[in-house]
Amino acid sequence: MRKSKTAVVNTQSPATDSDLSIPQSFTVTVSVRRFNPDVDQETYLQDFEVEMYATDRVLDALHKIKWEQDGSLSFRRSCGHGICGSDAMRINGLNRLACKTLMKDLDVTKPIIIEAIKGLPLEKDLIVDMEPFFAAYREVLPFLMPSGAEPERERIQSQEDRARFDDSTKCILCAACTTSCPVFWTDNQYFGPQAIVGAHRFIFDSRDSGAASRLEVLNSKEGVWRCRTTFNCTDACPRGIQITQAIAEVKQALIRGKI
Amino acid sequence: MAPIPATLYRGREGMWSWVAHRITGVAVFFFLFVHVLDTALVRVSPEDYNAVIESYKTPIVNFLEVGLTGAVLYHALNGIRLILVDFWSKGPKYHRVMLWVISVIWIVIMIPGFYFMTKHTFEQMFGGN
């Protein structure tokens, strides 16, 4: 331990010296909206008390509940580091990844309310059926559609051309955006923000020539024109993608007839 | 059990401005519906039309008029904001700033608007003569 630092701490408050070196744990109430399709007619909130540190994630709290208190608690997670996109859920009324939400960023004096994402069929506890979400993504043809003969080497792209769609490449398909959209909650046919971001990634890619087909899909009744720019998607995205901006760019491409 | 079931999504300015846009839009639609009906009445019977218009001259309708003005004004200003969000390249970046700008414009117009629109009613209700 560095001498000078200890001295400063001691002059201020000698008693808290040990507090500063050892992180303090605290008890948090985690209120999970449970649902078991075999037993329950409706969802209900169940409280759990867990011992947490400020640097713990909400995912850690769920793990503690599942491993130590109630093994029947069901939720999805895979990598636990904000890249697989499995653990999107509503934390205190906002769509967040459980693995990227830390205790220190929440008000731990009140119960932390955890619910499944909204607008997709609920299967059990925090697990929803993601199939309608993936189906919408598939409809926008999310793969490279090059034109001409296959080149001998890589398809060259300038840095500016690559930067054009850089933001929309960050998507991890967690569904936090689509299930934060009020339009999607009431109209499940709407493609949703994620599918539009997925289309944006290829529409504005200079190597791709399938923009016309994707724009045709998104020009339909349930396409981009359903977007009411509530910005819930942009606020919810754990990757910080400017989703509403991307949707606006697709709208403009449709109106102007060029990319 | 937790105190409040958090079924309400805690959206920010964008979501609430959209909710207000919907509410004001529906309110204005219902006004137009009534307005078309009462105005069309003048072709059926001018006397009945006069009687209907006369029935509007109450303090309650006057305050409803203020509400209607506020609703139309918000819907119009926010409509401009939404057009800019969609078609101005920097629109999505400044959508919050634009909401505060239209809110200020709304307040600046509504304060004198409220005064002049309700002046007559207040004089009628509390005036000495």
Side-chain angles (χ1 to χ4, degrees):
Chain A
M1 194 175 278
R2 279 167 292 174
K3 247 183 178 175
S4 59
K5 204 173 183 181
T6 318
V8 171
V9 167
N10 282 342
T11 52
Q12 282 174 339
S13 160
T16 58
D17 192 26
S18 60
D19 296 354
L20 288 171
S21 48
I22 306 162
Q24 292 298 300
S25 69
F26 46 84
T27 306
V28 191
T29 306
V30 179
S31 194
V32 187
R33 190 172 288 280
R34 306 286 311 263
F35 176 69
N36 181 351
D38 296 334
V39 183
D40 304 322
Q41 297 294 313
E42 279 179 34
T43 63
Y44 61 96
L45 287 171
Q46 186 178 0
D47 287 357
F48 298 95
E49 305 274 320
V50 274
E51 197 74 9
M52 285 278 112
Y53 290 93
T55 49
D56 277 335
R57 306 160 297 174
V58 169
L59 182 64
D60 296 314
L62 292 174
H63 277 154
K64 270 201 144 180
I65 295 167
K66 186 170 177 71
W67 295 338
E68 296 167 13
Q69 298 184 32
D70 186 346
S72 72
L73 178 69
S74 306
F75 56 92
R76 282 198 185 99
R77 66 99 173 86
S78 185
C79 78
H81 292 79
I83 202 66
C84 72
S86 302
D87 64 350
M89 51 190 73
R90 246 184 314 159
I91 300 167
N92 284 344
L94 289 170
N95 281 5
R96 293 287 180 263
L97 294 185
C99 59
K100 282 188 86 172
T101 308
L102 301 181
M103 286 297 147
K104 68 184 174 72
D105 298 324
L106 298 168
D107 180 4
V108 291
T109 59
K110 285 192 243 164
I112 299 168
I113 299 170
I114 301 178
E115 298 162 289
I117 45 177
K118 221 171 150 165
L120 290 166
L122 184 62
E123 291 196 330
K124 192 184 178 194
D125 293 341
L126 302 174
I127 297 178
V128 296
D129 178 10
M130 297 282 278
E131 189 42 38
F133 169 79
F134 292 133
Y137 181 51
R138 281 195 296 269
E139 282 209 46
V140 301
L141 316 167
F143 40 82
L144 190 76
M145 295 159 78
S147 63
E150 198 175 319
E152 297 275 308
R153 45 177 299 195
E154 302 90 338
R155 295 173 200 277
I156 305 294
Q157 185 168 49
S158 72
Q159 288 189 4
E160 295 79 52
D161 284 347
R162 175 61 179 74
R164 181 68 192 83
F165 61 93
D166 185 63
D167 205 31
S168 44
T169 63
K170 296 175 191 163
C171 179
I172 55 172
L173 282 92
C174 67
C177 60
T178 294
T179 58
S180 77
C181 177
V183 179
F184 183 77
W185 298 334
T186 51
D187 174 11
N188 286 171
Q189 298 303 305
Y190 172 43
F191 281 96
Q194 192 285 322
I196 302 170
V197 166
H200 180 284
R201 188 251 166 269
F202 289 101
I203 289 170
F204 295 95
D205 187 336
S206 62
R207 298 165 297 185
D208 184 89
S209 57
S213 343
R214 295 192 190 92
L215 287 172
E216 198 187 315
V217 172
L218 293 179
N219 199 21
S220 68
K221 190 167 149 274
E222 303 294 347
V224 284
W225 307 113
R226 284 259 128 186
C227 168
R228 295 291 185 272
T229 64
T230 71
F231 287 88
N232 276 10
C233 54
T234 307
D235 293 337
C237 180
R239 307 283 294 155
I241 301 172
Q242 296 303 305
I243 303 174
T244 315
Q245 170 95 48
I247 298 174
E249 285 169 11
V250 174
K251 285 175 180 170
Q252 285 170 31
L254 274 168
I255 289 218
R256 294 185 185 147
K258 62 172 193 214
I259 295 144
Chain B
M1 289 296 268
I4 317 150
T7 40
L8 188 70
Y9 194 81
R10 292 209 347 258
R12 296 187 56 184
E13 295 91 334
M15 180 171 124
W16 293 111
S17 68
W18 166 77
V19 169
H21 200 77
R22 268 286 153 95
I23 292 169
T24 55
V26 170
V28 170
F29 170 78
F30 280 114
F31 160 72
L32 282 175
F33 187 71
V34 174
H35 184 57
V36 166
L37 281 183
D38 62 23
T39 307
L41 192 62
V42 76
R43 289 177 59 104
V44 181
S45 156
E47 292 78 28
D48 289 343
Y49 172 80
N50 282 341
V52 168
I53 297 300
E54 195 63 34
S55 74
Y56 290 165
K57 291 178 183 172
T58 68
I60 294 166
V61 175
N62 186 218
F63 287 115
L64 284 174
E65 280 171 346
V66 176
L68 176 69
T69 309
V72 170
L73 188 62
Y74 174 79
H75 203 80
L77 290 170
N78 195 49
I80 295 168
R81 172 179 162 268
L82 293 181
I83 291 167
L84 289 172
V85 165
D86 271 344
F87 297 112
W88 173 40
S89 59
K90 290 193 172 69
K93 196 178 163 191
Y94 293 112
H95 81 101
R96 282 199 185 101
V97 179
M98 290 195 289
L99 183 65
W100 299 127
V101 170
I102 67 154
S103 305
V104 169
I105 296 172
W106 190 87
I107 290 166
V108 165
I109 295 176
M110 283 310 283
I111 289 170
F114 181 83
Y115 175 76
F116 288 112
M117 286 183 77
T118 56
K119 202 170 162 243
H120 181 72
T121 296
F122 277 112
E123 278 168 5
Q124 216 176 28
M125 285 169 80
F126 308 110
N129 44 356

